[in-house]
Amino acid sequence: NSPTADMVCKPPSPALSGSLARRSPESVACVGRSPGFWRNHESAWVGIRCGDRFCDHLYPGNDPAFRQVTCMDILVPKQYDHQKVARHIMATLLNVTSGKIGYLSEETVRAMWREFVTTGSYVPTAGAKPWNAADLVLYLESTQKGGDEAEQKDDDEDSGGGGKGKGKDKGK
């Protein structure tokens, strides 16, 4: 398995698809949003509050920064997340909890992050080549293309590092 830049509506491993086999493809939500969307649309958050600490929802690893940062703040590029994995994992978790993607579970997203933060890579399926940070981000980004083009430009990576997002809910 290798990551892709096209929109992906499936888990990185066939073994993770379990309950998907019992559903028709049309019934699986596939409208994931980017970190920029989540940063600017607090009212769309479900099950996670923007003021919650990142470590309340995802394993912080050995980096003390991940124990202090909030879920909202991790969506803004950080030096200690220079590979952008944490911000895309947070966006993916928000996509799952809000029902915007239905082919990954919260447990799968947490396991992806835990494996990456502890080993420096993620193995999508037994025997597969491990994904480095760039591979994992490419896969996560491919699950976050459910918005329109203007929404995608809302993201810091495309807009050159806009604002911090607090209080900028645009009501989508």
Side-chain angles (χ1 to χ4, degrees):
N1 279 1
S2 62
T4 177
D6 295 327
M7 180 66 175
V8 173
C9 295
K10 62 183 182 179
S13 162
L16 298 176
S17 61
S19 63
L20 293 179
R22 295 186 295 273
R23 293 192 245 166
S24 68
E26 298 82 31
S27 70
V28 178
C30 187
V31 290
R33 307 293 196 210
S34 69
F37 170 88
W38 291 110
R39 192 182 65 250
N40 291 305
H41 296 88
E42 294 175 30
S43 65
W45 291 44
V46 175
I48 297 172
R49 294 184 315 263
C50 27
D52 289 353
R53 291 180 309 156
F54 179 81
C55 69
D56 292 339
H57 299 280
L58 292 152
Y59 177 69
N62 292 326
D63 191 330
F66 289 123
R67 296 182 189 282
Q68 302 303 318
V69 69
T70 67
C71 293
M72 173 62 86
D73 286 342
I74 200 66
L75 296 171
V76 178
K78 303 284 180 225
Q79 247 182 332
Y80 53 84
D81 184 33
H82 66 278
Q83 296 171 311
K84 303 175 187 161
V85 178
R87 71 189 297 244
H88 284 286
I89 281 284
M90 187 74 246
T92 302
L93 186 59
L94 288 164
N95 284 322
V96 170
T97 61
S98 69
K100 293 192 182 303
I101 58 175
Y103 47 89
L104 292 173
S105 67
E106 290 180 48
E107 295 77 26
T108 298
V109 176
R110 287 186 178 102
M112 291 169 82
W113 171 251
R114 180 180 284 274
E115 183 176 336
F116 176 79
V117 80
T118 57
T119 68
S121 64
Y122 171 70
V123 180
T125 188
K129 176 184 173 253
W131 290 357
N132 63 22
D135 294 333
L136 185 52
V137 167
L138 184 62
Y139 170 74
L140 295 171
E141 285 178 335
S142 74
T143 71
Q144 299 167 358
K145 295 182 178 189
D148 60 28
E149 192 174 319
E151 174 188 306
Q152 296 301 318
K153 289 186 181 191
D154 220 7
D155 204 351
D156 282 336
E157 294 167 3
D158 296 327
S159 67
K164 295 189 186 210
K166 295 191 179 195
K168 293 175 75 176
D169 195 329
K170 294 177 184 161
K172 268 195 182 175

